[in-house]
């Protein structure tokens, strides 16, 4: 590309260049990025081009090791190829190593039922996370400016995101993208877009124009094209005012976060399948802390809560203080399920892995013998003695080994999931109760109720709700002559046969 100069002495910087370079130096030093390895996200537009060019000017003085990344979203077939070639030539002239890739955002959008904006953003950040990990970058620098910050504040306000939405974008933000940590660095948040455009002009740069930014089909574009100009008629410095609001809210949220940290230790428990919340301890908190704690919990599970709106937080709060057995879906394919005294927050990818599903057809379990169904296995054997052995719970609280009276149990058993009409006489009770009532009263989490194996006699009587309770009629007594021990195990990684069939 013609006109790119990586030599800071090639020309005297103009006023916009001085402002951009000064702010970039300040941000790099304020956030301990000097001497760092930085990956610059470069689209070819004025913001990212000014950013990478300015970083190239400062890299020697500040000890920066600079790389660039460019993603072709595949949304503008003709123009995007030219954009990629433009960026390649520009990075060659700046002597910045470039990593580029082409993606199919349209396909990703359809597969995940997202808007074009959300799909492009997710694909872009996944790409940046991969490249960042590859070069072991300390941060990914992006060209978001003061005008972008103002647009983001307004967009979140319109969507009803609450206080966290008014915070908008922060200068440094670390998130998890597909399990890969990514630190995003926004050093130009105080620089208006007019300055990045002027920077390019002063330095002989000819940025590419993305015509999709002119389409009013996207919310952000409508805010930029229609709403902000109207607001400037009331306040010509509206972008500065909105940026100042975001800064002020950011300080307030940092203070609130300290209170959330103190409260979380008594409410939130992290597990391999998500986050568990103590409902009683939660209700004792101030409503403001409750809402911020719920946002924090979603961030833990999903790695990002940027799409969480005020209405989502309100719905979560309602469920946390309401009756058991309810659930709600949240952005990022996260689900909140409320049980009697706890609530469980988990991502969709973890929901199916929490406990495997048994095959649809009942599986025979002979005594002695074994069986496998879906991700579950069970073995039954006659054991010496009639003592009741210790049965400690596994890592998620299930008791998977039990002993029974052999004569009461019989030699032919079935293992299946619960069925409509099932009744159960739990150990210690003289009367039966319906299986749904038992599970509710015993606080069996709703997300487990269709996944727990049920051991039944050939005649249909329920002998054991695996993980929870045996039947009173099957217990060991003083007259027991032989004892059957049944031991269950499960493999989270193994899908049920019915699930495999559903994929074919």
């Amino acid at each position: 590309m013609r006109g790119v100069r990586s030599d800071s002495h090639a020309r005297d910087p103009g006023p916009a260049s001085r402002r951009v370079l000064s702010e970039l130096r300040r941000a790099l030093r304020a956030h301990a990025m000097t001497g760092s390895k930085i990956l610059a996200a470069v689209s070819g537009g004025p913001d990212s081009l000014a950013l990478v060019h300015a970083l190239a000017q400062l890299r020697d003085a500040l000890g920066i090791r600079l790389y660039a990344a460019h993603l072709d979203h595949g949304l503008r077939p003709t123009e995007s190829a030219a954009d990629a070639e433009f960026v390649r030539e520009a990075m060659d002239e700046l002597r910045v190593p470039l990593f580029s890739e082409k993606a199919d955002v349209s396909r990703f959008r359809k597969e995940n039922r997202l808007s074009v904006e959300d799909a492009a953003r997710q694909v872009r950040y996944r790409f940046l996370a991969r490249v960042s990990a590859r070069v072991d970058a300390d941060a990914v620098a992006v060209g978001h400016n003061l005008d972008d910050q103002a647009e983001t504040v307004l967009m979140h306000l319109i969507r009803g995101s609450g206080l966290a939405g008014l915070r908008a974008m922060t200068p440094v933000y670390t998130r998890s993208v597909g399990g890969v940590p990514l630190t995003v660095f926004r050093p130009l948040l105080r620089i208006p877009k007019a300055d990045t455009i002027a920077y390019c002009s002063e330095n002989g740069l000819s940025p590419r124009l993305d015509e999709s930014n002119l389409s009013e089909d996207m919310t952000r574009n409508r805010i930029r094209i229609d709403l902000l100009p109207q607001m400037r008629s009331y306040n010509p410095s509206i972008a500065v005012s909105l940026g100042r609001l975001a800064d002020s809210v950011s300080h307030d949220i940092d203070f609130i976060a300290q209170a959330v940290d103190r409260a979380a230790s008594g409410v939130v428990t992290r597990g391999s399948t998500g986050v568990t919340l103590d409902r009683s301890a939660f209700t004792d908190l101030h409503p403001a802390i409750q809402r911020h704690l719920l946002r924090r919990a979603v961030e833990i599970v999903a790695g990002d809560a940027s799409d969480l709106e005020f209405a989502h937080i309100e719905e979560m709060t309602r469920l946390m203080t309401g009756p058991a057995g309810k659930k709600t879906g949240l952005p990022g394919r996260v689900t909140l399920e409320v049980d009697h005294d706890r609530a469980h927050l988990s991502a969709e990818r973890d929901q199916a892995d929490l406990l495997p599903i048994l095959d649809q057809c009942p599986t025979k379990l002979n005594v002695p013998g074994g069986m496998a169904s879906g991700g579950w296995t069970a073995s039954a054997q006659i054991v010496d003695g009639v003592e009741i052995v210790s049965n400690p719970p596994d890592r998620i609280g299930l008791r998977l080994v039990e002993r029974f009276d052999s004569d009461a149990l019989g030699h032919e058993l079935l293992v299946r999931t619960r069925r409509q009409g099932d009744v159960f006489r739990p150990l210690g009770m003289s009367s039966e109760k319906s299986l749904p009532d038992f599970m509710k009263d015993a606080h069996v989490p709703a997300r487990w109720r269709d996944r727990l194996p049920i051991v039944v006699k050939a005649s249909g009587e329920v002998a054991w709700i695996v993980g929870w309770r045996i039947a009173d009629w099957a217990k060991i007594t003083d007259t027991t002559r032989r004892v059957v021990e049944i031991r269950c195990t499960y493999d989270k990684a193994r899908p049920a046969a019915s699930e495999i069939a559903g994929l074919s």
Side-chain angles (χ1 to χ4, degrees):
M1 184 189 73
R2 296 179 181 177
V4 171
R5 293 178 174 86
S6 59
D7 180 0
S8 59
H9 300 291
R11 61 168 66 185
D12 293 331
S17 297
R18 287 194 293 271
R19 288 191 292 270
V20 170
L21 290 167
S22 175
E23 178 60 19
L24 187 53
R25 287 191 195 93
R26 184 207 64 80
L28 287 163
R29 288 168 176 154
H31 299 287
M33 292 291 178
T34 58
S36 297
K37 190 181 292 184
I38 295 178
L39 175 69
V42 184
S43 66
D47 302 324
S48 64
L49 194 59
L51 172 63
V52 71
H53 187 276
L55 284 169
Q57 310 312 305
L58 300 178
R59 60 183 160 188
D60 292 339
L62 299 182
I64 295 170
R65 287 165 291 173
L66 184 60
Y67 301 84
H70 173 78
L71 180 67
D72 177 353
H73 294 83
L75 296 172
R76 301 177 300 124
T78 303
E79 294 87 351
S80 61
D83 289 346
E85 179 61 20
F86 171 88
V87 172
R88 185 192 65 76
E89 291 181 2
M91 296 308 100
D92 284 346
E93 292 193 38
L94 289 174
R95 303 191 307 278
V96 176
L98 173 68
F99 297 85
S100 61
E101 187 175 294
K102 184 173 182 178
D104 190 344
V105 170
S106 296
R107 179 179 177 182
F108 182 85
R109 174 197 178 191
K110 292 177 182 177
E111 290 176 347
N112 294 276
R113 302 184 299 279
L114 300 170
S115 68
V116 173
E117 293 170 283
D118 289 340
R121 176 170 54 85
Q122 290 190 29
V123 170
R124 180 167 60 254
Y125 277 106
R126 290 184 182 192
F127 164 67
L128 293 173
R130 291 196 303 273
V131 178
S132 178
R134 179 177 175 181
V135 301
D136 193 27
D138 296 294
V140 173
V142 295
H144 294 140
N145 56 52
L146 179 61
D147 294 61
D148 295 324
Q149 182 76 311
E151 293 166 12
T152 303
V153 171
L154 292 174
M155 186 166 64
H156 288 177
L157 185 62
I158 291 168
R159 288 180 175 177
S161 298
L163 190 63
L166 297 182
R167 186 183 199 179
M169 297 181 287
T170 56
V172 178
Y173 176 46
T174 299
R175 59 181 292 191
S176 175
V177 181
V180 179
L182 173 68
T183 297
V184 178
F185 180 37
R186 303 181 178 104
L188 301 183
L189 281 182
R190 298 183 180 182
I191 294 293
K193 188 176 188 66
D195 275 359
T196 64
I197 294 173
Y199 180 100
C200 291
S201 178
E202 291 172 1
N203 290 275
L205 309 178
S206 302
R208 298 281 295 176
L209 173 64
D210 184 350
E211 293 184 356
S212 65
N213 290 331
L214 303 177
S215 170
E216 295 193 31
D217 292 337
M218 299 181 184
T219 302
R220 181 180 288 274
N221 290 357
R222 293 199 299 274
I223 291 172
R224 180 174 61 255
I225 296 169
D226 297 329
L227 182 56
L228 271 173
Q230 293 185 46
M231 297 182 74
R232 288 191 182 98
S233 68
Y234 294 93
N235 178 4
S237 300
I238 187 63
V240 175
S241 297
L242 291 171
R244 190 181 300 122
L245 173 63
D247 286 342
S248 176
V249 170
S250 184
H251 291 307
D252 293 343
I253 289 179
D254 286 342
F255 178 78
I256 294 172
Q258 297 175 21
V260 172
D261 287 339
R262 293 191 293 270
S265 61
V267 179
V268 178
T269 303
R270 297 193 191 198
S272 60
T273 59
V275 163
T276 299
L277 302 154
D278 185 307
R279 295 183 66 192
S280 176
F282 177 86
T283 56
D284 291 337
L285 299 175
H286 188 281
I289 302 301
Q290 289 179 347
R291 287 165 171 78
H292 285 274
L293 187 144
L294 290 174
R295 177 173 290 275
R296 173 80 59 81
V298 172
E299 288 178 344
I300 292 171
V301 173
D304 178 32
S306 60
D307 292 331
L308 201 65
E309 299 178 2
F310 186 76
H312 297 131
I313 298 293
E314 289 297 290
E315 176 66 7
M316 294 172 72
T317 304
R318 186 183 69 80
L319 263 62
M320 288 293 295
T321 56
K326 305 293 185 180
K327 68 179 180 179
T328 186
L330 302 165
R333 298 186 176 183
V334 172
T335 299
L336 174 69
E337 295 183 82
V338 177
D339 295 321
H340 185 267
D341 55 357
R342 294 177 297 176
H344 191 76
L345 196 67
S346 57
E348 182 178 290
R349 61 181 178 273
D350 295 326
Q351 288 287 321
D353 291 341
L354 184 58
L355 288 177
I357 302 175
L358 281 83
D359 293 340
Q360 291 180 337
C361 297
T363 304
K364 182 181 293 187
L365 175 63
N366 291 325
V367 181
M371 76 95 211
S373 176
W376 288 91
T377 61
S379 62
Q381 59 180 339
I382 304 297
V383 297
D384 295 332
V386 295
E387 71 276 7
I388 301 174
V389 298
S390 174
N391 181 13
D394 75 344
R395 61 181 181 79
I396 60 173
L398 297 179
R399 299 182 185 277
L400 300 175
V401 181
E402 291 288 0
R403 289 188 169 186
F404 306 82
D405 184 297
S406 177
D407 293 332
L409 204 62
H411 298 291
E412 292 185 359
L413 306 172
L414 294 174
V415 180
R416 58 171 173 81
T417 56
R418 64 176 180 168
R419 290 179 175 175
Q420 187 174 4
D422 277 339
V423 293
F424 179 52
R425 180 154 62 95
L427 181 65
M429 295 186 63
S430 58
S431 60
E432 293 181 331
K433 62 192 316 181
S434 72
L435 206 54
D437 285 346
F438 167 76
M439 288 185 165
K440 180 179 179 181
D441 294 343
H443 303 163
V444 179
R447 64 187 182 280
W448 291 355
R449 294 177 189 177
D450 289 322
R451 296 174 181 268
L452 287 177
I454 311 296
V455 178
V456 300
K457 294 179 63 174
S459 54
E461 295 100 325
V462 175
W464 182 23
I465 312 298
V466 173
W468 240 259
R469 195 84 61 84
I470 69 170
D472 189 79
W473 56 261
K475 67 185 179 183
I476 297 171
T477 67
D478 292 340
T479 61
T480 296
R481 297 180 300 166
R482 294 191 305 170
V483 173
V484 174
E485 181 180 278
I486 302 178
R487 184 178 298 268
C488 290
T489 61
Y490 60 91
D491 178 6
K492 294 199 304 175
R494 181 181 173 187
S498 57
E499 292 179 301
I500 296 173
L503 296 174
S504 60

